[in-house]
Amino acid sequence: MKKICSLVIILSVFHFAGLAQYNQGKIYIDGNVNYNNDNSNVPTNQIGIPIETKSTNIIISPNIGYFIANNFAIGVGVEYKSLFNSTNGANFLFNNQDGSKVVVSEVISSKWNELAPTIFAKYIIPVSDKLSFSLKAKFSHGLVTDEISDSPTTVTTTVAGQVTITNPTVLSEKPSKQTNRFNISPEFQYLITDKIELQINFTGFSYNSVPVIN
């Protein structure tokens, strides 16, 4: 039987922008906060030991821009990403010819921290007095530090019932790498007041050049 418990909280569906009048000379401010937490617990068929997987993602992205023309803004921002994933109990069973059994259980974890300055350009098309449509192009160049660790435990059971447990040194590495991200996203804005709007954005087209975690 497979049991999965998942908790997902997304705070980035709506953005709030200050000074939402789109005339030349105005300041544009928005922000994005995203939090995601997933937990799963799946029993192993052969061994019966559950495999626990946990992942936590946090993304924070504030931006500030300036309308260089009516309905057209350019700006800068910063994007911070913190991603954590761990697997506890990746178990493997080996039956030796002499009748002994070996169970290898691994605890694998990875941490990803990325800090990326961004630049963007945004063009807004008013639909009505309150509603508008926009296209936003954004580019970011960031620095990534990722930490990977692997700690296997081997349990050997002989035919006579003797148990030997070995736990070798944890394998860990912390390389620093770079990322390049570009995306064009459609957005909808709805004016709540003269200076605050409610914004919904979509993924759109994106290109990501990111390092591979081995």
Side-chain angles (χ1 to χ4, degrees), residues 5-18:
C5 177
S6 177
L7 172 63
V8 179
I9 301 175
I10 299 178
L11 304 178
S12 63
V13 176
F14 301 111
H15 296 226
F16 292 90

Side-chain angles (χ1 to χ4, degrees), residues 28 63-65 73-77 118-122 136-139:
Y28 174 86
N63 301 293
I64 183 169
I74 60 174
V76 296
T118 65
I119 57 174
F120 71 88
K122 180 172 182 174
K136 184 177 182 180
K138 182 174 71 172
F139 173 77

Side-chain angles (χ1 to χ4, degrees), residues 191-204:
L191 286 173
I192 300 176
T193 69
D194 290 341
K195 295 185 178 182
I196 298 177
E197 69 181 17
L198 190 64
Q199 179 172 289
I200 302 175
N201 69 312
F202 302 89
T203 300

Side-chain angles (χ1 to χ4, degrees), residues 101-105 153-157 163-166:
K101 295 182 179 181
V102 177
V103 175
V104 179
S105 178
T153 299
T154 302
V155 180
T156 304
T157 305
V163 178
T164 303
I165 301 176
T166 58

Side-chain angles (χ1 to χ4, degrees), residues 41 49 64 66 72 75 103 108-109 117 149 155 165 177 186:
N41 191 316
I49 303 175
I64 183 169
Y66 178 79
F72 182 69
V103 175
I108 304 172
S109 66
S149 63
V155 180
I165 301 176
K177 305 171 185 177

Side-chain angles (χ1 to χ4, degrees), residues 18-185:
L19 295 175
Q21 298 296 318
Y22 314 127
N23 296 328
Q24 183 179 2
K26 295 292 185 179
I27 300 296
Y28 174 86
I29 300 173
D30 75 0
N32 180 359
V33 177
N34 185 302
Y35 175 80
N36 180 291
N37 189 313
D38 287 325
N39 296 321
S40 66
N41 191 316
V42 182
T44 305
N45 293 331
Q46 267 190 316
I47 306 175
I49 303 175
I51 297 177
E52 298 179 357
T53 301
K54 299 179 181 179
S55 64
T56 302
N57 303 335
I58 300 174
I59 301 175
I60 302 174
S61 177
N63 301 293
I64 183 169
Y66 178 79
F67 281 91
I68 59 175
N70 290 346
N71 301 326
F72 182 69
I74 60 174
V76 296
V78 63
E79 189 168 82
Y80 171 75
K81 295 184 179 182
S82 177
L83 313 178
F84 173 77
N85 184 77
S86 68
T87 301
N88 186 359
N91 302 286
F92 305 92
L93 173 63
F94 303 93
N95 294 306
N96 297 326
Q97 293 181 352
D98 60 2
S100 62
K101 295 182 179 181
V102 177
V103 175
V104 179
S105 178
E106 287 186 298
V107 178
I108 304 172
S109 66
S110 63
K111 297 179 182 179
W112 174 293
N113 291 312
E114 178 181 351
L115 185 63
T118 65
I119 57 174
F120 71 88
K122 180 172 182 174
Y123 184 72
I124 300 174
I125 304 173
V127 178
S128 66
D129 292 339
K130 297 287 187 179
L131 183 65
S132 61
F133 170 79
S134 64
L135 282 176
K136 184 177 182 180
K138 182 174 71 172
F139 173 77
S140 67
H141 176 75
L143 179 66
V144 171
T145 300
D146 63 86
E147 178 181 347
I148 309 163
S149 63
D150 184 2
S151 178
T153 299
T154 302
V155 180
T156 304
T157 305
T158 65
V159 179
Q162 294 179 338
V163 178
T164 303
I165 301 176
T166 58
N167 184 226
T169 304
V170 173
L171 172 64
S172 181
E173 59 174 332
K174 300 180 180 180
S176 295
K177 305 171 185 177
Q178 296 182 350
T179 64
N180 291 291
R181 303 178 187 271
F182 174 77
N183 75 286
I184 300 176
S185 59

